[in-house]
Amino acid sequence: MTKNGTFKHRVRTRAAKTGESYTAALMHVRGSSRHDLPAEAKSVRLAVAQSSLCDDPRDIAALRAGGLEMRRLMRQAHQAGARIVHFPEGATCSPNKRIMSVSGPEEVGPSAWGRFEWAVLREELNAARELARELGLWTVFGSVHQLTQPHRPHNSLYIVSDLGKLVTRYDERMLSNTKISFMYTPGSIPVTFEVDGVRFGCALGMETHFPEIFIEYERLDVDCVLFSTTGGASPNELAFASETQGHAASNSYWISFSMLARHGMNAPSGIVAPDGRWAAQCAADGMPSIAVVDINNNPGDLARPWRRTARTGIYEWHLVDDDPRSDSRDIF
């Protein structure tokens, strides 16, 4: 029997034995086959940052200061041996909705994006890209991404490689009411990338409120989700942090939680392990800082493949029909 024939025989045998569909048996056997082979864990040192808020895109000095701070934290991450550093939403600038409002600041209305010092922003973006190349450091940071007029910009995460190349960009998909009504164009797709064999996904803004975002990344085989947020209005930062721990534990992968430093006293930036515990956190003092931890793809973890198998309908074959002690719910 050929190698392929042997594999198919194993699938059919399992299907006959368990009553599973061929597809369900196939997924189980494939998973078992992978675990039969010695898997080498891939590891990467990740730094998560919390940085200061710049909310006025008209303020050239503030944009410059934010760029300087981000590059200082990049150097700290490099000195700590990090291969990748992760920054919050709006690390370059998180425009205030009242500053941007054409009818503001008393009233929130459509944003006047012509007020943004786009040329200065691009200079700071390029400076970060050049430093990433110089340090050999993957860098992920939040920024506003300008679109062609009259379209509103995206609220985005830029992913810059250790060669200083902008390799991809993630655009926030699940926008708040204010963002979708007055400020941004939503994104439409998940984004993944790899560093040293470890696979990353991206989430942004208020997306921690949407479990489907994180379930989707589990299906895309990520080892870590980079979630960036400003933190929103208090006490949102506490909800974001708690939800992040829950998503990590329920999907059995790492999550990097990066938030602006001003919320750090309530919920500092940090990295959550696949069991839902904080593996590292920044100082809870509201000041710009980083935290560093080695993360891996944990090939020996059995939770993720079993949960995938559990979602294929394996329980249907074990249900019982017409058993009064199962059907009646008012007896002991």
Side-chain angles (χ1 to χ4, degrees), residues 50-65:
Q50 57 187 30
S51 55
S52 301
L53 170 66
C54 167
D55 67 353
D56 189 346
R58 307 166 301 178
D59 189 338
I60 293 176
L63 289 170
R64 299 289 192 205

Side-chain angles (χ1 to χ4, degrees), residues 23-103:
T23 301
L26 176 63
M27 290 185 65
H28 182 92
V29 173
R30 278 179 174 168
S32 298
S33 297
R34 284 194 295 269
H35 288 297
D36 288 342
L37 298 174
E40 180 183 354
K42 304 294 184 182
S43 178
V44 66
R45 179 160 291 186
L46 168 65
V48 63
Q50 57 187 30
S51 55
S52 301
L53 170 66
C54 167
D55 67 353
D56 189 346
R58 307 166 301 178
D59 189 338
I60 293 176
L63 289 170
R64 299 289 192 205
L68 282 171
E69 180 181 279
M70 190 165 75
R71 294 192 292 276
R72 175 175 62 81
L73 293 172
M74 289 171 65
R75 290 188 176 93
Q76 287 184 15
H78 174 67
Q79 291 168 0
R83 281 285 286 136
I84 177 171
V85 61
H86 170 217
F87 285 92
E89 173 187 9
T92 53
C93 180
S94 181
N96 186 293
K97 60 187 178 183
R98 296 187 180 276
I99 291 175
M100 300 304 294
S101 173
V102 293
S103 50

Side-chain angles (χ1 to χ4, degrees), residues 49-325:
Q50 57 187 30
S51 55
S52 301
L53 170 66
C54 167
D55 67 353
D56 189 346
R58 307 166 301 178
D59 189 338
I60 293 176
L63 289 170
R64 299 289 192 205
L68 282 171
E69 180 181 279
M70 190 165 75
R71 294 192 292 276
R72 175 175 62 81
L73 293 172
M74 289 171 65
R75 290 188 176 93
Q76 287 184 15
H78 174 67
Q79 291 168 0
R83 281 285 286 136
I84 177 171
V85 61
H86 170 217
F87 285 92
E89 173 187 9
T92 53
C93 180
S94 181
N96 186 293
K97 60 187 178 183
R98 296 187 180 276
I99 291 175
M100 300 304 294
S101 173
V102 293
S103 50
E106 292 79 13
E107 182 181 347
V108 177
S111 295
W113 287 105
R115 298 173 181 175
F116 206 119
E117 290 288 346
W118 293 109
V120 176
L121 174 67
R122 289 197 179 92
E123 288 176 7
E124 296 303 319
L125 297 178
N126 278 318
R129 182 177 57 80
E130 285 299 320
L131 182 60
R133 179 190 58 79
E134 177 185 327
L135 299 176
L137 178 69
W138 284 77
T139 305
V140 180
F141 56 92
S143 184
V144 179
H145 181 74
Q146 187 179 25
L147 301 187
T148 307
Q149 291 184 346
H151 300 126
R152 298 172 180 172
H154 290 308
N155 184 39
S156 303
L157 280 178
Y158 288 127
I159 295 91
V160 177
S161 76
D162 54 352
L163 300 178
K165 179 181 178 182
L166 178 58
V167 294
T168 190
R169 185 191 75 246
Y170 177 72
D171 305 319
E172 185 181 5
R173 292 177 281 171
M174 308 301 286
L175 300 171
S176 69
N177 181 58
T178 296
K179 285 179 176 178
I180 193 62
S181 299
F182 302 120
M183 301 187 75
Y184 297 111
T185 296
S188 59
I189 60 171
V191 167
T192 64
F193 64 98
E194 287 193 12
V195 178
D196 300 343
V198 176
R199 188 172 177 85
F200 292 89
C202 301
L204 187 58
M206 62 177 291
E207 290 183 335
T208 189
H209 290 329
F210 298 90
E212 58 268 33
I213 294 285
F214 294 84
I215 293 170
E216 179 181 38
Y217 279 123
E218 194 283 327
R219 292 171 179 159
L220 291 173
D221 279 327
V222 305
D223 303 302
C224 178
V225 172
L226 305 176
F227 171 60
S228 296
T229 182
T230 61
S234 184
N236 280 351
E237 64 268 19
L238 295 174
F240 288 167
S242 297
E243 288 170 338
T244 296
Q245 291 181 274
H247 294 317
S250 62
N251 291 292
S252 196
Y253 54 45
W254 300 84
I255 300 183
S256 181
F257 172 75
S258 182
M259 189 162 59
L260 293 174
R262 65 176 183 167
H263 295 290
M265 288 183 286
N266 291 329
S269 295
I271 299 167
V272 184
D275 60 6
R277 63 181 172 81
W278 290 103
Q281 285 185 284
C282 293
D285 57 5
M287 298 299 292
S289 62
I290 64 167
V292 180
V293 71
D294 292 327
I295 69 171
N296 59 58
N297 59 0
N298 196 15
D301 176 35
L302 299 179
R304 287 182 72 176
W306 169 248
R307 290 171 190 175
R308 289 182 177 183
T309 300
R311 292 185 175 110
T312 63
I314 62 171
Y315 302 108
E316 295 175 8
W317 302 100
H318 299 278
L319 298 176
V320 295
D321 295 320
D322 301 322
D323 185 327
R325 292 202 58 80

